Amino acid sequence: MKIFSNPYIRNLSVRYRSLEQRDRVALVGLGAFLAGLLLFYGVWTPANNFAESRRAERDRELALVKYMKASEAEARASKSSATPTVSGQALLTQISRTAQQFSINPNRLQPEGSDGVSVWFDDVVFNDLIRWLELQTRQGVNIRQISIDRQPDSGKVNARIVLRS
């Protein structure tokens, strides 16, 4: 074998053969014990810990799915009763008022049919825009179309959004 042609391995083999029989048995036993420890702590324990954490995560996710399924009817009922319908003109006023609250000023507002509004923003802070959109959706306004373009200034964007009540 090629492995025994290595001078280091050949030297170890000569030293092993020069040991007494009882020392050889003890050395083989120690090697087997160390190999067992390596397998247990290097392979089995990490694999077992990973499997346990995945099982716990799966159980959490299953509990969440069960909860969501159990409360689905209630959520649907509250959504239909809690979201007011807003006319196009009232939507225009609401958008203008809430945009001022978030210190984002639309460059242009344009009615879209009887229940929609197009809104243009230039150089607006992205995080403020997203918080404003979140408020709009909580107030029953739907986002029908959105286009966001990044600007050279960090965190600033141009946006065109079509909202419907």
Side-chain angles (χ1 to χ4, degrees):
M1 283 186 149
K2 270 188 164 179
I3 195 165
F4 291 112
S5 64
N6 185 330
Y8 182 72
I9 299 295
R10 200 173 328 144
N11 186 21
L12 284 177
S13 178
V14 168
R15 288 183 69 181
Y16 175 76
R17 278 186 255 125
S18 69
L19 293 174
E20 292 183 28
Q21 178 65 25
R22 137 187 106 157
D23 290 341
R24 280 191 238 160
V25 170
L27 188 60
V28 168
L30 179 63
F33 177 73
L34 290 175
L37 282 177
L38 179 67
L39 282 173
F40 183 76
Y41 287 109
V43 177
W44 172 256
T45 301
N48 191 39
N49 290 343
F50 178 77
E52 285 297 320
S53 69
R54 294 302 111 202
R55 274 189 219 107
E57 185 177 338
R58 183 201 63 206
D59 292 343
R60 281 193 310 273
E61 296 296 330
L62 280 173
L64 178 61
V65 167
K66 286 179 183 177
Y67 169 75
M68 289 173 72
K69 283 184 179 179
S71 61
E72 177 184 15
E74 181 184 335
R76 288 186 189 276
S78 71
K79 180 181 186 271
S80 64
S81 66
T83 56
T85 57
V86 182
S87 70
Q89 194 61 37
L91 180 61
L92 195 63
T93 306
Q94 175 185 332
I95 288 171
S96 180
R97 181 178 39 83
T98 57
Q100 288 174 355
Q101 290 173 351
F102 283 86
S103 300
I104 56 174
N105 297 318
N107 291 50
R108 188 169 143 196
L109 292 167
Q110 177 179 332
E112 291 277 328
S114 63
D115 65 343
V117 174
S118 288
V119 187
W120 283 263
F121 293 98
D122 288 333
D123 289 329
V124 65
V125 176
F126 178 75
N127 290 338
D128 294 341
L129 179 68
I130 296 301
R131 283 194 290 276
W132 176 77
L133 282 171
E134 181 182 12
L135 175 66
Q136 296 305 312
T137 57
R138 276 191 270 139
Q139 292 178 349
V141 177
N142 295 317
I143 300 169
R144 292 292 172 199
Q145 184 178 9
I146 187 166
S147 173
I148 298 176
D149 297 318
R150 181 172 62 153
Q151 293 301 303
D153 294 340
S154 179
K156 298 261 182 145
V157 295
N158 287 346
R160 179 183 182 273
I161 307 164
V162 177
L163 301 168
R164 301 243 188 245
S165 56

